[in-house]
Amino acid sequence: MRTDAQGPRQEQDVKAQATASEGTPWAHGPGRPADIPEAAVVLNQRIIARESLDSSVPAALKLKKRIKRFALDNELDHLPIGDIVSVALDEWLTTRGF
């Protein structure tokens, strides 16, 4: 049995990732603004001013179900979704120079 062969699903995933990165080019910003602190610094503060960020996500990703499963598997009473989203978006924007 060959372990280095990719199945049809893996080939689809690789092609989808390649296509996504070859799509419309993103504008690259001048860099992370100097007045924006690192996400970890902000999230470690005792009191944090927050703002709402409303977003809908593709149902096919089943993010709600996966988040619940993660919380159950890790015996978490509360999963700080806002903090997770903050870190992910901050990292995404920073890598693009914003």
Side-chain angles (χ1 to χ4, degrees), residues 67-83:
I67 288 167
K68 286 178 185 177
R69 181 80 257 164
F70 176 84
L72 287 171
D73 288 354
N74 289 281
E75 298 179 1
L76 299 173
D77 293 332
H78 173 70
L79 191 60
I81 302 298
D83 292 356

Side-chain angles (χ1 to χ4, degrees), residues 21-86:
S21 65
E22 293 171 4
T24 306
W26 296 96
H28 193 77
R32 182 186 188 92
D35 62 336
I36 304 291
E38 295 291 326
V41 172
V42 174
L43 294 174
N44 284 323
Q45 294 176 1
R46 184 170 172 85
I47 298 173
I48 304 170
R50 295 190 179 255
E51 61 186 8
S52 179
L53 182 63
D54 187 21
S55 179
S56 59
V57 295
L61 297 177
K62 298 181 181 178
L63 293 174
K64 283 185 174 184
K65 181 179 180 179
R66 292 164 59 196
I67 288 167
K68 286 178 185 177
R69 181 80 257 164
F70 176 84
L72 287 171
D73 288 354
N74 289 281
E75 298 179 1
L76 299 173
D77 293 332
H78 173 70
L79 191 60
I81 302 298
D83 292 356
I84 295 167
V85 170
S86 298

